[in-house]
Amino acid sequence: MPELPEVDSARAVIERTVLGQRIVAIEDVDPYVCRPHTAEDFESGLVGRRIVRVMRRGKQLWCETSPLRGQGAPGPHLGLHLGMGGRIVVTDRSGRVVPDGDSTHGLAGEHQDRWDRCTVRFANGMALRLVDKRRLGRVRLDPDVAALGPDALDVDLREFRRLLSRGTTSIKARLLDQSVLAGIGNLLADEMLWQSRISPAKRVDQLQPTEVAALHRAMRQALRRSIAAGGSHTGRVIPARHGGGTCPRCGAPMRHGTVGGRSTWWCEREQDEQHG
DNA sequence: ACTCGTGTTAGCTG
DNA sequence: TCAGCTAACACGAG
């Protein structure tokens, strides 16, 4: 599920529930998800500190922590990455899930802790959990945020042009390159390319200026809409991403293939591949 | 039994 | 060195 919109909503939940709370324990440390850190690393680095800020850049989320007892240097950043299927769940002191506003999977009831890969407990009894069946999510101290490109929501047309100006790779591969542009995932990329009627396989050096402008507009709109609607899966073309699917605009068959190493769907009529 | 996947990255090639 | 591509990662869902 997680692309920029899902991560943004996770950020909001953390901010609303445990901002300012003191960390009292770290539990359920899955060694694969949390590598290279150990439970002791988290314990000594975080316990006793408060969450003072919750930040996001692209799909990377992190919590900034206070000095100990208000004295000395700030603590490490607690980096959270949802991977392919992870989610953030906050539970209250009685173990019930705190609703996150728009999620349909956040069953407001007992929390099933079978898939918890890292749990942060707070003085007020709340717990922040990274829940991830697949274990492709990551929890790490002081994540290297500088390796990411600018957040997709912050990129204006001028910068967007610049990000697409180098190289010869396909536009879809470029949109998915987090070191260039942070936050666009597989579904958002298909959605914005469909909205702007551009072939996912078209090389970045073959894009016309008008196409780049249309794509930038589509990106901003797709991000805004999916954040408001509650996730990347709410895009208009997403329901057509299956065998036999047809374009929601023109009714032509949707085509499927691998572009930029990812499963890709596009309208065979409107997203023509004349210039590949 | 077998294939696929809303992400990242180590490793290879030109 | 860099741009670009592929395989691998883990494991549930269909």
Side-chain angles (χ1 to χ4, degrees):
Chain A
M1 314 176 60
E3 298 185 35
L4 189 154
E6 288 79 8
V7 179
D8 200 58
S9 122
R11 193 199 64 77
V13 173
I14 297 173
E15 194 171 72
R16 200 170 66 235
T17 54
V18 298
L19 186 66
Q21 292 300 316
R22 187 181 305 281
I23 297 170
V24 296
I26 316 288
E27 298 169 359
D28 304 321
V29 174
D30 181 301
Y32 185 80
V33 168
C34 298
R35 66 195 157 84
H37 308 298
T38 63
E40 296 71 48
D41 295 335
F42 289 134
E43 179 93 12
S44 62
L46 298 170
V47 170
R49 303 182 187 275
R50 298 171 188 272
I51 306 291
V52 293
R53 218 148 64 119
V54 191
M55 306 289 288
R56 180 190 62 73
R57 178 150 164 191
K59 306 168 193 170
Q60 178 71 54
L61 191 58
W62 70 97
C63 302
E64 298 182 4
T65 61
S66 71
L68 285 173
R69 281 187 250 108
Q71 305 245 339
H77 295 175
L78 174 62
L80 302 167
H81 198 291
L82 304 181
M84 285 282 274
R87 57 202 167 95
I88 296 297
V89 171
V90 177
T91 52
D92 61 22
R93 71 170 63 249
S94 50
R96 253 188 298 269
V97 176
V98 178
D100 73 351
D102 50 37
S103 133
T104 53
H105 48 252
L107 322 163
E110 297 300 308
H111 172 62
Q112 162 63 277
D113 62 5
R114 179 174 168 201
W115 313 117
D116 289 2
R117 306 305 182 186
C118 186
T119 299
V120 183
R121 293 199 174 278
F122 295 89
N124 69 348
M126 287 189 157
L128 166 63
R129 307 154 185 277
L130 174 64
V131 183
D132 181 14
K133 296 175 186 178
R134 264 176 94 175
R135 304 170 88 196
L136 289 174
R138 294 292 179 262
V139 181
R140 69 181 323 162
L141 298 172
D142 297 317
D144 183 13
V145 176
L148 295 171
D151 187 84
L153 275 177
D154 293 336
V155 172
D156 62 16
L157 176 56
R158 185 182 183 78
E159 185 169 27
F160 191 66
R161 275 194 211 292
R162 194 171 56 74
L163 298 178
L164 302 193
S165 66
R166 277 169 300 103
T168 60
T169 193
S170 68
I171 179 57
K172 172 142 182 182
R174 178 60 52 85
L175 292 173
L176 293 175
D177 186 341
Q178 304 298 300
S179 70
V180 171
L181 177 68
I184 303 301
N186 201 33
L187 294 188
L188 280 170
D190 275 8
E191 174 73 13
M192 57 192 276
L193 286 163
W194 176 77
Q195 289 284 1
S196 48
R197 299 176 168 83
I198 295 169
S199 164
K202 190 157 186 176
R203 286 166 35 169
V204 291
D205 58 320
Q206 314 243 98
L207 289 171
Q208 304 303 311
T210 55
E211 291 181 307
V212 175
L215 193 56
H216 178 255
R217 211 175 312 122
M219 175 174 77
R220 302 201 62 100
Q221 181 184 311
L223 285 170
R224 270 200 308 269
R225 285 188 60 226
S226 54
I227 288 173
S232 314
H233 60 285
T234 63
R236 276 192 68 202
V237 82
I238 307 307
R241 293 175 90 261
H242 61 82
T246 55
C247 174
R249 268 190 312 246
C250 77
M254 293 294 290
R255 297 195 55 194
H256 181 238
T258 297
V259 183
R262 305 299 304 279
S263 177
T264 302
W265 295 82
W266 67 96
C267 170
E268 73 168 27
R269 182 185 300 159
E270 298 181 340
Q271 293 170 269
D272 211 309
E273 204 165 330
Q274 299 290 5
H275 314 284

